[in-house]
């Protein structure tokens, strides 16, 4: 298995633009998590899915953020409109259970200018 | 929800010495405690974990200890080497389907 695959690896965009981050989990992993990492706040859970259904989105910072999982092999995190304070590394992780054995993707480094 | 505190934020040790990183958690129902290592520009990777029915676990130069009564757990690295330099994160599960809550991380620096 190629592991959790995220794209793009780097994204630079202008304030106000729409940004879409993509994730392909490990096959057979029923749980998918989106995390945001910054120096100030560390690793923050934004949202997670179980069998493609959003379970907890309490970490999504505001309505500008949305996430979907249309099927078991693909998820997106969208920011519209983007702001400079959204600059961070966004990680996707998947696992077989909600609490055990997370495998992280390589992350997307987002810079909003 | 769960709250995980991690100390210190930065730890510098001489090569060959031991390093200890400590974490506390708030939810007494938490039962799973992993540690992740993140090298610069890389993804977090699981290095060791422990469940609440075990007090200590070792894997070569690394070990983790858990004190359920005090609600704290620690990572111990012996005979540190330059490749141990990284950021280390502890985490705890809330006992339910809440996912993992991570500490803020410890930047471990191994001095030659």
């Amino acid at each position: 298995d190629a592991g959790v695959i995220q794209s793009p690896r780097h994204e630079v965009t202008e304030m106000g633009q729409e940004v879409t981050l993509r994730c392909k989990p490990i096959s057979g992993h029923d749980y998918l998590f989106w995390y945001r990492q910054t120096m100030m706040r560390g690793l923050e859970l934004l949202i997670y899915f179980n069998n493609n259904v959003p379970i907890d989105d309490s970490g999504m910072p505001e309505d500008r953020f949305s996430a979907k999982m249309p099927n078991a092999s693909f998820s997106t995190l969208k920011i519209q409109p983007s702001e400079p304070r959204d600059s961070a590394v966004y990680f996707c992780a998947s696992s077989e259970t909600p609490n055990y054995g997370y495998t992280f993707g390589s992350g997307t480094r987002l810079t909003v200018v | 929800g769960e709250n995980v505190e991690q100390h210190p934020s930065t730890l510098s040790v001489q090569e060959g010495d031991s390093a200890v990183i400590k974490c506390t958690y708030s939810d007494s129902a938490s039962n799973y405690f992993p540690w992740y290592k993140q090298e610069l520009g890389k993804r977090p990777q699981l290095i060791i974990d422990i469940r609440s029915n075990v007090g200590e676990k070792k894997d070569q130069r690394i070990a983790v200890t858990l004190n359920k009564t005090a609600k704290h757990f620690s990572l111990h690295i012996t005979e540190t080497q330059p490749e141990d330099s990284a950021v280390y994160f502890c985490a705890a599960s809330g006992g339910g389907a809440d996912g993992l809550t991570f500490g803020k991380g410890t930047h471990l620096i191994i001095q030659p």
Side-chain angles (χ1 to χ4, degrees):
Chain A
D1 199 318
V4 177
I5 300 173
Q6 289 187 247
S7 64
R9 289 296 308 273
H10 302 275
E11 177 80 39
V12 180
T13 190
E14 292 185 348
M15 183 174 62
Q17 296 297 306
E18 177 180 294
V19 176
T20 299
L21 312 182
R22 298 172 177 80
C23 176
K24 175 178 167 53
I26 292 174
S27 177
H29 282 191
D30 292 334
Y31 290 84
L32 183 141
F33 307 84
W34 281 101
Y35 281 88
R36 177 171 67 176
Q37 185 176 36
T38 61
M39 288 293 293
M40 291 298 296
R41 302 174 68 90
L43 274 166
E44 299 175 275
L45 177 64
L46 300 178
I47 185 171
Y48 81 92
F49 296 83
N50 177 25
N51 290 323
N52 314 336
V53 176
I55 301 301
D56 182 0
D57 65 353
S58 59
M60 296 286 262
E62 48 198 276
D63 292 345
R64 297 185 296 108
F65 286 69
S66 62
K68 294 182 180 179
M69 192 165 186
N71 57 61
S73 60
F74 184 65
S75 177
T76 60
L77 177 68
K78 186 176 293 187
I79 308 172
Q80 166 64 18
S82 58
E83 297 182 2
R85 59 195 170 115
D86 302 330
S87 297
V89 180
Y90 291 81
F91 285 102
C92 174
S94 71
S95 70
E96 294 179 347
T97 74
N99 301 319
Y100 175 77
Y102 288 21
T103 299
F104 283 82
S106 297
T108 295
R109 180 174 295 278
L110 174 65
T111 303
V112 183
V113 297
Chain B
E2 176 65 275
N3 182 49
V4 177
E5 300 283 339
Q6 183 172 349
H7 300 280
S9 57
T10 303
L11 177 60
S12 180
V13 301
Q14 290 292 124
E15 183 178 347
D17 288 350
S18 296
V20 180
I21 302 170
K22 300 181 179 181
C23 289
T24 60
Y25 61 98
S26 61
D27 187 348
S28 57
S30 288
N31 57 14
Y32 175 65
F33 309 90
W35 287 87
Y36 284 79
K37 176 182 180 182
Q38 186 179 27
E39 297 176 348
L40 188 63
K42 302 284 184 65
R43 75 189 77 189
Q45 292 194 295
L46 179 68
I47 56 171
I48 195 168
D49 57 13
I50 192 168
R51 293 192 178 276
S52 59
N53 58 348
V54 176
E56 182 175 2
K57 183 177 179 181
K58 289 184 179 180
D59 183 2
Q60 298 182 0
R61 295 186 298 107
I62 61 174
V64 57
T65 58
L66 172 65
N67 183 326
K68 287 179 59 180
T69 303
K71 290 191 283 189
H72 67 70
F73 55 114
S74 301
L75 177 71
H76 303 252
I77 306 174
T78 59
E79 301 174 8
T80 52
Q81 301 171 4
E83 55 264 37
D84 295 329
S85 293
V87 178
Y88 293 80
F89 293 93
C90 63
S93 70
D98 296 334
L100 288 175
T101 300
F102 286 85
K104 289 283 194 292
T106 295
H107 185 193
L108 177 62
I109 302 166
I110 307 301
Q111 303 277 7

